[in-house]
Amino acid sequence: MTFEQLKELICENFGVSEDKVTETADLQEDLKLDSLDAVELSMMMEEAHGVSIPEEKFPECKTIADVLKFANGGN
């Protein structure tokens, strides 16, 4: 999954403006996504791009870069 693909999912589904979605953006503080939003985002990522983040790992994702790392097979 690329940064641009993730950015598009977030902007289209959570009403976040494109300029706020950066690799260092904090999911909660900067993008105002809560834990339910994180679960929805994970499901959208799997449906749209075939990538998933294990449920127990998603709380470790604090920034966009973290989400990309786990989505692309990082630990």
Side-chain angles (χ1 to χ4, degrees), residues 2-10 41 45 64 67-68:
T2 67
F3 169 73
E4 288 301 321
Q5 290 170 325
L6 181 56
K7 180 177 181 175
E8 184 177 316
L9 277 178
I10 292 170
L41 177 59
M45 290 167 50
I64 294 291
V67 173
L68 288 170

Side-chain angles (χ1 to χ4, degrees), residues 9-26:
L9 277 178
I10 292 170
C11 292
E12 287 181 4
N13 293 286
F14 299 102
V16 176
S17 64
E18 286 189 24
D19 63 321
K20 290 189 180 233
V21 183
T22 65
E23 289 199 32
T24 59
D26 184 283

